[in-house]
Amino acid sequence: MYDLIIVGGGPAGVSAGIYAARKKINALLIAESFGGQSVVSMDIQNWIGTPSISGYDLAKALETHLKSMEGIELLEGERVEKIEKQAGGFKISTKSGKTFETRFILLAAGSRRRRLGIPGEDKYDGKGVVFCSTCDAPIFKDKEVAVVGGGNAGLESVVDLFPYAKKIYLIVRSEAPKGDPVTLEKVTSHKNVEIITQADVQEIFGEQFVTGMKYMDRKDGQAKELKVDGVFVEIGSLPNSDLAKGLVNMNDRGEIMVDHKTEQSSDPGIWVVGDVSDVLYKQNNISAGDAIKAVLNIYDRLMK
């Protein structure tokens, strides 16, 4: 029986693991991989204390730091598939059939981006196809880019690109973009933005990196191409919360609702941090800080 099992190997999970080790909590961290969604980013410029780092290098740095700590057990390459409540705590089952018991759980399972599901999206992931404007907008300085998504996520990505891209195409499936009126006004009035409505993106193409995209213009029924250096896919994300269904309260987006003072969920034995929670801003630095907050609260609980 562990005192704590941490699920996840991104910035939130690793931060939790490091603090659990520092507090000498009897803990196990289970991670399928390290780094989280940012592992595909070419150049991260907002990880505090590091002016520029690739997603791969950040993942290795997180892994190295965690493995340098004494007192925390690690289980790599395993996906947690089920959490069951039982007397005195929980039972956790992995995809390979391993089971573990714990008093408390810290869930840092992250989220996954909604994808377009079109040719070229996977091939150029990290090579011009990006899913985080906050992370990667500076890479596209003086370049032409397309943002796919007409909701708030798409509009906010366009705003993130204002200081960098020389031309921004906003690709919208519906007849007009939808979202916060203030943000929408910023986007529609900016001189470098061109909005293409009623467009179904069909393919992303390139050579070593993205050079363009194809879409069907439903207004005239014509297949068209755009020459761009990057495609920002901003059609929302899906929290990896399925394994906690029935155990904790979730909002209508499937995010697990927490008390943001402690990161505790509706179940007093489960804390939740990062993108799988209902935290307002999905950022690595925020996820790391929230994870530390959660571990300190768990430590207080154990001491009592």
Side-chain angles (χ1 to χ4, degrees):
M1 172 74 76
Y2 291 95
D3 285 331
L4 173 65
I5 289 182
I6 300 163
V7 180
V14 170
S15 298
I18 290 168
Y19 266 72
R22 287 175 59 84
K23 288 295 186 181
K24 298 191 181 301
I25 297 172
N26 176 28
L28 168 68
L29 185 146
I30 304 174
E32 193 170 10
S33 60
F34 291 101
Q37 288 191 60
S38 294
V39 72
V40 299
S41 296
M42 293 181 286
D43 186 17
I44 299 168
Q45 299 180 356
N46 60 349
W47 180 247
I48 302 303
T50 306
S52 176
I53 188 170
S54 71
Y56 174 81
D57 287 340
L58 175 59
K60 295 304 293 183
L62 291 171
E63 181 181 359
T64 299
H65 192 172
L66 181 63
K67 289 181 176 179
S68 73
M69 305 300 294
E70 295 182 0
I72 184 164
E73 292 185 40
L74 303 179
L75 181 61
E76 300 176 59
E78 284 278 7
R79 177 192 291 270
V80 173
E81 296 227 316
K82 191 174 184 181
I83 298 173
E84 299 173 88
K85 200 169 178 65
Q86 62 180 21
F90 304 89
K91 183 171 80 170
I92 287 182
S93 304
T94 69
K95 186 176 181 180
S96 68
K98 295 183 175 70
T99 60
F100 305 92
E101 293 184 333
T102 182
R103 293 175 63 188
F104 298 143
I105 292 172
L106 196 158
L107 188 62
S111 65
R112 59 197 185 277
R113 294 283 182 170
R114 289 185 185 272
R115 302 180 79 90
L116 295 166
I118 59 172
E121 183 179 30
D122 291 340
K123 180 178 180 179
Y124 294 104
D125 190 345
K127 300 176 181 178
V129 173
V130 292
F131 296 87
C132 178
S133 59
T134 308
C135 308
D136 293 334
I139 301 170
F140 294 88
K141 185 174 177 60
D142 298 326
K143 296 184 182 295
E144 298 193 1
V145 300
V147 175
V148 182
N152 276 326
L155 296 177
E156 289 164 6
S157 294
V158 172
V159 173
D160 286 342
L161 285 158
F162 281 170
Y164 304 106
K166 70 178 180 181
K167 177 73 175 183
I168 307 165
Y169 297 97
L170 177 60
I171 312 299
V172 183
R173 289 192 67 191
S174 57
E175 294 182 356
K178 302 171 184 177
D180 174 67
V182 174
T183 310
L184 182 57
E185 184 178 356
K186 287 181 184 178
V187 168
T188 55
S189 62
H190 199 279
K191 59 183 175 58
N192 291 345
V193 176
E194 180 178 336
I195 300 175
I196 301 175
T197 60
Q198 299 186 61
D200 290 328
V201 181
Q202 296 186 322
E203 183 182 354
I204 298 167
F205 59 86
E207 296 173 2
Q208 188 175 0
F209 294 93
V210 168
T211 59
M213 59 177 287
K214 297 178 182 179
Y215 69 95
M216 174 62 69
D217 188 336
R218 297 203 312 274
K219 295 187 292 294
D220 58 18
Q222 298 295 312
K224 298 180 179 179
E225 289 189 5
L226 280 179
K227 299 295 185 183
V228 292
D229 303 295
V231 178
F232 287 73
V233 180
E234 293 290 352
I235 55 175
S237 61
L238 299 168
N240 296 321
S241 59
D242 288 352
L243 53 86
K245 279 185 177 177
L247 296 174
V248 295
N249 292 338
M250 301 182 186
N251 61 23
D252 57 3
R253 295 184 296 277
E255 298 167 332
I256 299 172
M257 300 168 69
V258 300
D259 175 352
H260 291 285
K261 289 183 179 180
T262 61
E263 307 306 318
Q264 192 173 54
S265 73
S266 57
D267 186 298
I270 300 177
W271 285 256
V272 183
V273 295
D275 289 7
V276 72
S277 79
D278 65 344
V279 64
L280 182 58
Y281 302 109
K282 314 293 190 184
Q283 293 289 297
N284 285 338
N285 293 294
I286 293 172
S287 297
D290 284 350
I292 293 165
K293 184 198 309 181
V295 171
L296 294 177
N297 187 244
I298 291 166
Y299 178 75
D300 287 346
R301 282 279 302 280
L302 289 168
M303 290 301 97
K304 293 176 182 177

